[in-house]
Amino acid sequence: MDLEKIMMDLKQERDRLNRAIAALEGATSPRVAEKTSVAAPPPPPASKGGKRGILTPEGRKRLSLAMKKRWAERKKKG
């Protein structure tokens, strides 16, 4: 085996791979830069229940009456 031929082939393959890597990095680097340069707003703090549970007294009364009506209808059917 010719050691110099093997070395030359390996160097050519290395150069080919380096060019392919450079091309891929060039194609993806602007997207990566865009993603890192634009800061996303932080998510709101997770509270127990989120926006649920904000009922006015009138809304609570309407809900109570609606549930009582629903339970009464189920009781009649059952």
Coordinates of all heavy atoms in Angstrom, one line a residue:
M1 N 0.8 -1.2 0.0 CA 0.0 0.0 0.0 C 0.9 1.2 0.0 O 1.9 1.3 0.7 CB -0.9 0.0 1.2 CG -2.0 -0.9 1.2 SD -3.1 -0.4 2.6 CE -4.4 -1.4 2.3
D2 N 0.4 2.2 -0.7 CA 1.1 3.5 -0.8 C 0.6 4.4 0.2 O -0.6 4.9 0.1 CB 1.0 4.0 -2.2 CG 1.8 5.2 -2.4 OD1 2.7 5.5 -1.6 OD2 1.6 5.9 -3.4
L3 N 1.3 4.7 1.3 CA 0.9 5.5 2.4 C 0.6 6.9 2.0 O -0.3 7.6 2.4 CB 2.0 5.5 3.5 CG 1.6 6.1 4.8 CD1 0.4 5.4 5.4 CD2 2.8 6.1 5.8
E4 N 1.4 7.4 1.0 CA 1.2 8.8 0.5 C -0.1 8.9 -0.2 O -0.8 9.9 -0.1 CB 2.4 9.3 -0.3 CG 3.6 9.4 0.5 CD 4.6 10.4 -0.1 OE1 4.3 11.0 -1.2 OE2 5.6 10.6 0.4
K5 N -0.5 7.9 -1.0 CA -1.7 7.9 -1.7 C -2.9 7.9 -0.7 O -3.9 8.7 -0.9 CB -1.8 6.7 -2.6 CG -3.2 6.5 -3.2 CD -3.1 6.7 -4.7 CE -4.4 6.3 -5.4 NZ -5.5 7.2 -5.2
I6 N -2.8 7.1 0.3 CA -3.9 7.1 1.3 C -4.0 8.4 2.0 O -5.1 9.0 2.2 CB -3.6 6.0 2.3 CG1 -3.7 4.6 1.7 CG2 -4.6 6.0 3.5 CD1 -3.2 3.4 2.5
M7 N -2.9 9.1 2.3 CA -2.9 10.4 3.0 C -3.5 11.4 2.1 O -4.3 12.2 2.5 CB -1.4 10.8 3.4 CG -0.9 10.0 4.5 SD -1.7 10.3 6.1 CE -1.2 11.9 6.4
M8 N -3.1 11.4 0.8 CA -3.7 12.3 -0.2 C -5.2 12.2 -0.3 O -5.9 13.1 -0.3 CB -3.0 12.2 -1.5 CG -3.4 13.3 -2.5 SD -2.4 13.2 -4.0 CE -3.0 11.7 -4.7
D9 N -5.7 10.9 -0.4 CA -7.1 10.6 -0.5 C -7.8 11.1 0.8 O -8.9 11.7 0.7 CB -7.4 9.2 -0.7 CG -7.0 8.7 -2.1 OD1 -6.8 9.5 -3.0 OD2 -6.8 7.4 -2.2
L10 N -7.2 10.9 2.0 CA -7.9 11.3 3.2 C -7.9 12.8 3.3 O -8.9 13.4 3.7 CB -7.1 10.8 4.4 CG -7.3 9.3 4.7 CD1 -6.4 8.8 5.8 CD2 -8.7 8.9 5.0
K11 N -6.9 13.5 2.9 CA -6.9 15.0 2.9 C -7.9 15.6 1.9 O -8.6 16.5 2.2 CB -5.5 15.5 2.5 CG -4.5 15.4 3.7 CD -3.1 15.9 3.3 CE -2.1 15.7 4.4 NZ -0.8 16.2 4.1
Q12 N -8.1 14.9 0.7 CA -9.1 15.3 -0.2 C -10.5 15.2 0.4 O -11.3 16.0 0.3 CB -9.0 14.6 -1.5 CG -7.8 15.0 -2.4 CD -7.6 14.1 -3.6 OE1 -8.3 13.1 -3.8 NE2 -6.8 14.6 -4.5
E13 N -10.7 14.0 1.0 CA -12.0 13.8 1.7 C -12.2 14.8 2.8 O -13.3 15.3 2.9 CB -12.0 12.3 2.2 CG -13.3 11.9 2.9 CD -14.4 11.8 1.8 OE1 -14.2 11.8 0.6 OE2 -15.6 11.7 2.3
R14 N -11.2 15.1 3.6 CA -11.3 16.1 4.6 C -11.7 17.5 4.1 O -12.6 18.1 4.6 CB -10.0 16.2 5.4 CG -10.1 17.2 6.6 CD -8.7 17.5 7.1 NE -7.9 18.2 6.0 CZ -6.6 18.3 6.0 NH1 -5.9 17.9 7.1 NH2 -6.0 18.9 5.1
D15 N -11.0 17.9 3.0 CA -11.3 19.1 2.4 C -12.8 19.2 1.8 O -13.5 20.2 2.0 CB -10.4 19.4 1.2 CG -8.9 19.7 1.7 OD1 -8.8 20.0 2.9 OD2 -8.0 19.5 0.9
R16 N -13.2 18.1 1.3 CA -14.6 18.0 0.8 C -15.6 18.1 1.9 O -16.6 18.8 1.8 CB -14.8 16.6 0.0 CG -16.1 16.5 -0.7 CD -16.3 15.2 -1.3 NE -16.4 14.1 -0.3 CZ -17.6 13.9 0.4 NH1 -18.6 14.6 0.2 NH2 -17.6 12.9 1.3
L17 N -15.3 17.4 3.0 CA -16.2 17.5 4.2 C -16.2 18.9 4.8 O -17.2 19.4 5.2 CB -15.8 16.5 5.2 CG -16.1 15.0 4.9 CD1 -15.5 14.1 5.9 CD2 -17.6 14.8 4.8
N18 N -15.0 19.5 4.8 CA -14.9 20.9 5.4 C -15.8 21.9 4.5 O -16.4 22.8 5.0 CB -13.5 21.4 5.4 CG -12.8 20.8 6.6 OD1 -13.4 20.3 7.6 ND2 -11.4 20.7 6.6
R19 N -15.7 21.7 3.2 CA -16.5 22.6 2.3 C -18.0 22.3 2.5 O -18.8 23.2 2.6 CB -16.1 22.3 0.8 CG -14.8 23.0 0.4 CD -14.6 23.0 -1.1 NE -14.7 21.6 -1.7 CZ -13.7 20.8 -1.8 NH1 -12.5 21.1 -1.4 NH2 -13.9 19.6 -2.4
A20 N -18.4 21.0 2.7 CA -19.8 20.7 2.9 C -20.2 21.3 4.2 O -21.3 21.9 4.3 CB -20.0 19.2 2.9
I21 N -19.4 21.2 5.3 CA -19.8 21.7 6.6 C -19.9 23.3 6.5 O -20.8 23.8 7.0 CB -18.7 21.3 7.6 CG1 -18.9 19.8 7.9 CG2 -18.9 22.1 8.9 CD1 -17.7 19.2 8.8
A22 N -18.9 23.9 5.8 CA -19.0 25.4 5.7 C -20.2 25.8 4.9 O -20.9 26.8 5.3 CB -17.7 25.9 5.0
A23 N -20.6 25.0 3.9 CA -21.8 25.4 3.2 C -23.1 25.2 4.0 O -24.0 26.1 4.0 CB -22.0 24.5 1.9
L24 N -23.1 24.2 4.8 CA -24.3 24.0 5.7 C -24.3 25.0 6.8 O -25.4 25.5 7.2 CB -24.2 22.6 6.4 CG -24.5 21.4 5.4 CD1 -24.3 20.1 6.1 CD2 -25.9 21.5 4.9
E25 N -23.2 25.4 7.4 CA -23.1 26.4 8.4 C -23.5 27.8 7.8 O -24.3 28.5 8.5 CB -21.7 26.5 9.0 CG -21.4 25.4 9.9 CD -20.0 25.5 10.5 OE1 -19.1 26.2 9.9 OE2 -19.7 24.8 11.5
G26 N -23.1 28.1 6.6 CA -23.5 29.3 5.9 C -25.0 29.3 5.7 O -25.7 30.4 5.8
A27 N -25.6 28.2 5.4 CA -27.1 28.1 5.1 C -27.9 28.2 6.4 O -29.0 28.8 6.4 CB -27.4 26.8 4.4
T28 N -27.4 27.8 7.5 CA -28.1 27.8 8.7 C -27.8 28.9 9.7 O -28.5 29.2 10.5 CB -27.9 26.4 9.5 OG1 -26.6 26.3 9.8 CG2 -28.4 25.3 8.7
S29 N -26.6 29.5 9.5 CA -26.2 30.5 10.5 C -27.1 31.7 10.5 O -27.4 32.2 11.6 CB -24.8 30.9 10.3 OG -24.6 31.6 9.0
P30 N -27.7 32.3 9.4 CA -28.6 33.4 9.5 C -29.9 33.0 10.3 O -30.3 33.8 11.1 CB -29.0 33.7 8.1 CG -27.9 33.2 7.3 CD -27.4 32.0 8.0
R31 N -30.4 31.8 10.2 CA -31.6 31.4 10.9 C -31.2 31.3 12.4 O -32.0 31.7 13.2 CB -32.1 30.1 10.4 CG -32.8 30.2 9.1 CD -33.5 28.9 8.8 NE -33.2 28.6 7.4 CZ -33.1 27.5 6.8 NH1 -33.2 26.4 7.6 NH2 -32.9 27.3 5.6
V32 N -30.1 30.8 12.7 CA -29.7 30.7 14.1 C -29.5 32.1 14.7 O -29.9 32.4 15.8 CB -28.4 29.9 14.3 CG1 -27.9 29.9 15.7 CG2 -28.6 28.4 13.9
A33 N -28.9 33.0 13.9 CA -28.7 34.3 14.4 C -30.1 35.0 14.6 O -30.2 35.7 15.6 CB -27.9 35.1 13.4
E34 N -31.0 34.8 13.7 CA -32.4 35.4 13.9 C -33.0 34.9 15.2 O -33.6 35.6 15.9 CB -33.2 35.1 12.7 CG -32.9 35.8 11.5 CD -33.7 35.4 10.3 OE1 -34.8 34.7 10.5 OE2 -33.3 35.7 9.2
K35 N -32.9 33.6 15.4 CA -33.5 33.0 16.6 C -32.9 33.5 17.9 O -33.6 33.7 18.8 CB -33.4 31.5 16.6 CG -34.3 30.8 15.5 CD -34.2 29.3 15.6 CE -35.1 28.7 14.5 NZ -35.0 27.2 14.6
T36 N -31.6 33.7 17.9 CA -31.0 34.1 19.1 C -31.0 35.6 19.3 O -31.0 36.1 20.4 CB -29.5 33.7 19.1 OG1 -28.8 34.2 18.0 CG2 -29.4 32.2 19.1
S37 N -31.2 36.4 18.2 CA -31.2 37.8 18.3 C -32.5 38.4 18.7 O -32.6 39.4 19.3 CB -30.7 38.5 17.0 OG -31.6 38.2 16.0
V38 N -33.6 37.7 18.4 CA -34.9 38.1 18.8 C -35.3 37.4 20.0 O -35.5 36.2 20.1 CB -35.9 37.8 17.6 CG1 -37.3 38.2 18.0 CG2 -35.5 38.5 16.3
A39 N -35.5 38.2 21.1 CA -35.8 37.6 22.4 C -37.3 37.5 22.5 O -38.1 38.4 22.2 CB -35.3 38.5 23.5
A40 N -37.8 36.3 22.8 CA -39.2 36.0 23.0 C -39.6 36.5 24.3 O -38.8 36.4 25.3 CB -39.5 34.5 22.8
P41 N -40.8 37.1 24.4 CA -41.2 37.5 25.8 C -41.4 36.4 26.7 O -41.8 35.3 26.3 CB -42.6 38.2 25.5 CG -43.0 37.6 24.2 CD -41.8 37.3 23.4
P42 N -41.0 36.5 27.9 CA -41.1 35.4 28.9 C -42.6 35.0 29.1 O -43.4 35.9 29.0 CB -40.5 35.9 30.1 CG -40.6 37.4 30.0 CD -40.5 37.7 28.6
P43 N -42.8 33.7 29.3 CA -44.2 33.3 29.5 C -44.7 33.9 30.8 O -43.9 34.1 31.7 CB -44.1 31.8 29.5 CG -42.7 31.5 29.9 CD -41.9 32.6 29.4
P44 N -46.0 34.2 30.9 CA -46.6 34.7 32.1 C -46.4 33.7 33.2 O -46.4 32.5 33.0 CB -48.0 34.9 31.8 CG -48.3 34.1 30.6 CD -47.0 33.9 29.9
P45 N -46.2 34.1 34.5 CA -46.1 33.1 35.5 C -47.3 32.2 35.7 O -48.4 32.7 35.6 CB -45.9 34.0 36.8 CG -46.4 35.4 36.4 CD -46.2 35.5 34.9
A46 N -47.0 31.0 35.8 CA -48.1 30.0 35.9 C -48.8 30.2 37.3 O -48.1 29.9 38.3 CB -47.6 28.6 35.7
S47 N -50.0 30.6 37.3 CA -50.7 30.7 38.6 C -51.7 29.5 38.7 O -52.1 28.9 37.7 CB -51.5 32.0 38.7 OG -52.4 32.0 37.7
K48 N -52.1 29.2 39.9 CA -53.0 28.1 40.1 C -54.3 28.4 39.5 O -55.0 29.3 40.0 CB -53.1 27.8 41.6 CG -53.8 26.5 41.9 CD -53.7 26.2 43.4 CE -54.4 24.9 43.7 NZ -54.3 24.7 45.1
G49 N -54.7 27.8 38.4 CA -55.9 28.0 37.8 C -55.9 29.0 36.6 O -56.8 29.2 35.9
G50 N -54.9 29.8 36.5 CA -54.8 30.8 35.4 C -55.8 31.8 35.5 O -56.1 32.4 36.6
K51 N -56.5 32.2 34.4 CA -57.6 33.2 34.4 C -58.9 32.6 34.9 O -59.9 33.3 35.0 CB -57.7 33.8 33.0 CG -56.6 34.7 32.6 CD -56.9 35.4 31.4 CE -55.8 36.4 31.1 NZ -56.2 37.3 30.0
R52 N -59.0 31.3 35.1 CA -60.2 30.7 35.5 C -60.4 31.1 37.0 O -59.5 31.4 37.7 CB -60.1 29.2 35.4 CG -59.9 28.7 34.0 CD -59.8 27.3 33.9 NE -61.1 26.7 34.1 CZ -61.3 25.4 34.1 NH1 -60.3 24.6 33.9 NH2 -62.5 24.9 34.3
G53 N -61.6 31.2 37.4 CA -61.9 31.5 38.8 C -62.2 33.0 39.0 O -62.5 33.3 40.1
I54 N -62.2 33.8 37.9 CA -62.5 35.2 38.1 C -64.0 35.3 37.8 O -64.4 35.4 36.6 CB -61.6 36.1 37.2 CG1 -60.2 35.9 37.5 CG2 -62.1 37.5 37.3 CD1 -59.2 36.6 36.6
L55 N -64.8 35.2 38.8 CA -66.3 35.3 38.6 C -66.8 36.4 39.4 O -66.4 36.6 40.6 CB -67.0 34.0 39.1 CG -67.1 32.8 38.1 CD1 -67.8 31.7 38.8 CD2 -67.9 33.3 36.9
T56 N -67.6 37.2 38.8 CA -68.3 38.3 39.5 C -69.4 37.6 40.4 O -69.8 36.5 40.1 CB -68.9 39.3 38.6 OG1 -69.9 38.6 37.8 CG2 -67.8 39.9 37.6
P57 N -69.8 38.3 41.4 CA -70.9 37.7 42.2 C -72.2 37.4 41.3 O -72.8 36.4 41.6 CB -71.2 38.8 43.2 CG -69.9 39.6 43.3 CD -69.3 39.5 42.0
E58 N -72.4 38.3 40.3 CA -73.6 38.0 39.5 C -73.4 36.8 38.6 O -74.3 36.0 38.5 CB -73.9 39.2 38.5 CG -74.2 40.5 39.2 CD -73.0 41.3 39.8 OE1 -71.9 41.1 39.3 OE2 -73.2 42.1 40.7
G59 N -72.2 36.6 38.1 CA -71.9 35.4 37.3 C -71.9 34.2 38.2 O -72.4 33.1 37.7
R60 N -71.5 34.3 39.4 CA -71.5 33.1 40.3 C -73.0 32.7 40.6 O -73.4 31.6 40.6 CB -70.8 33.5 41.6 CG -70.5 32.3 42.5 CD -69.6 32.6 43.7 NE -68.3 33.2 43.2 CZ -67.8 34.4 43.5 NH1 -68.5 35.2 44.2 NH2 -66.7 34.7 43.1
K61 N -73.8 33.7 40.8 CA -75.3 33.5 41.0 C -75.9 32.8 39.8 O -76.7 31.9 39.9 CB -76.0 34.8 41.3 CG -77.4 34.7 41.6 CD -77.7 34.4 43.0 CE -79.2 34.5 43.3 NZ -79.5 34.0 44.6
R62 N -75.6 33.3 38.6 CA -76.2 32.7 37.4 C -75.7 31.3 37.2 O -76.5 30.4 36.9 CB -75.7 33.5 36.1 CG -76.5 34.7 35.8 CD -76.3 35.2 34.4 NE -74.8 35.3 34.1 CZ -74.1 36.4 34.0 NH1 -74.7 37.6 34.2 NH2 -72.8 36.3 33.7
L63 N -74.4 31.0 37.5 CA -73.9 29.7 37.4 C -74.6 28.8 38.4 O -75.0 27.6 38.1 CB -72.4 29.7 37.6 CG -71.7 28.4 37.5 CD1 -71.8 27.8 36.1 CD2 -70.2 28.5 37.8
S64 N -74.8 29.3 39.6 CA -75.4 28.5 40.7 C -76.9 28.1 40.2 O -77.3 26.9 40.4 CB -75.5 29.3 42.0 OG -76.2 28.6 42.9
L65 N -77.6 29.1 39.7 CA -79.0 28.8 39.3 C -79.0 27.8 38.1 O -79.8 26.9 38.1 CB -79.7 30.1 38.9 CG -79.9 31.1 40.1 CD1 -80.5 32.4 39.5 CD2 -80.9 30.4 41.1
A66 N -78.1 28.0 37.2 CA -78.0 27.0 36.0 C -77.7 25.6 36.5 O -78.3 24.7 36.0 CB -77.0 27.5 35.0
M67 N -76.8 25.5 37.4 CA -76.4 24.1 37.9 C -77.6 23.5 38.7 O -77.9 22.3 38.5 CB -75.2 24.2 38.8 CG -73.9 24.5 38.0 SD -73.6 23.4 36.7 CE -73.1 21.9 37.6
K68 N -78.3 24.3 39.5 CA -79.4 23.8 40.2 C -80.5 23.3 39.2 O -81.1 22.3 39.4 CB -80.0 24.9 41.1 CG -79.1 25.1 42.4 CD -79.7 26.2 43.2 CE -78.8 26.4 44.4 NZ -79.2 27.6 45.2
K69 N -80.7 24.1 38.2 CA -81.7 23.7 37.1 C -81.3 22.4 36.5 O -82.1 21.5 36.3 CB -81.8 24.8 36.1 CG -82.8 24.6 35.0 CD -82.9 25.7 34.1 CE -83.8 25.5 32.9 NZ -83.8 26.5 31.9
R70 N -80.0 22.3 36.1 CA -79.5 21.1 35.5 C -79.6 19.9 36.4 O -80.0 18.8 36.0 CB -78.0 21.3 35.1 CG -77.4 20.1 34.3 CD -76.0 20.5 33.9 NE -76.0 21.7 33.1 CZ -74.9 22.5 33.0 NH1 -73.8 22.3 33.7 NH2 -75.0 23.6 32.2
W71 N -79.3 20.0 37.7 CA -79.4 18.9 38.6 C -80.9 18.5 38.8 O -81.2 17.3 38.9 CB -78.8 19.3 40.0 CG -77.3 19.4 39.9 CD1 -76.4 18.8 39.1 CD2 -76.6 20.3 40.7 NE1 -75.2 19.2 39.4 CE2 -75.2 20.2 40.4 CE3 -76.9 21.3 41.7 CZ2 -74.2 20.9 41.0 CZ3 -75.9 22.0 42.3 CH2 -74.5 21.8 41.9
A72 N -81.8 19.5 38.8 CA -83.2 19.2 38.9 C -83.7 18.4 37.7 O -84.5 17.4 37.9 CB -84.0 20.5 39.1
E73 N -83.2 18.7 36.5 CA -83.6 18.0 35.3 C -83.1 16.6 35.4 O -83.8 15.6 35.0 CB -83.1 18.7 34.1 CG -83.9 20.0 33.8 CD -83.3 20.8 32.6 OE1 -82.3 20.3 32.0 OE2 -83.8 21.9 32.3
R74 N -81.9 16.4 35.8 CA -81.3 15.0 35.9 C -82.1 14.2 37.0 O -82.3 13.0 36.8 CB -79.8 15.1 36.4 CG -78.9 15.4 35.2 CD -77.5 15.2 35.7 NE -76.6 15.5 34.6 CZ -75.3 15.4 34.7 NH1 -74.7 15.1 35.8 NH2 -74.5 15.7 33.7
K75 N -82.5 14.9 38.1 CA -83.2 14.2 39.1 C -84.5 13.7 38.6 O -85.0 12.6 38.9 CB -83.4 15.1 40.3 CG -83.8 14.4 41.5 CD -83.9 15.3 42.7 CE -84.3 14.6 44.0 NZ -84.3 15.5 45.1
K76 N -85.2 14.5 37.7 CA -86.5 14.2 37.2 C -86.3 12.9 36.2 O -87.2 12.0 36.2 CB -87.1 15.3 36.4 CG -87.7 16.4 37.2 CD -88.3 17.5 36.3 CE -88.7 18.7 37.1 NZ -89.3 19.7 36.3
K77 N -85.3 13.0 35.4 CA -85.0 11.9 34.4 C -84.7 10.6 35.2 O -85.1 9.5 34.7 CB -84.0 12.2 33.5 CG -84.4 13.3 32.5 CD -83.2 13.6 31.5 CE -83.6 14.7 30.5 NZ -82.5 15.0 29.6
G78 N -83.9 10.6 36.2 CA -83.4 9.5 36.9 C -84.4 8.9 37.8 O -85.0 7.9 37.9

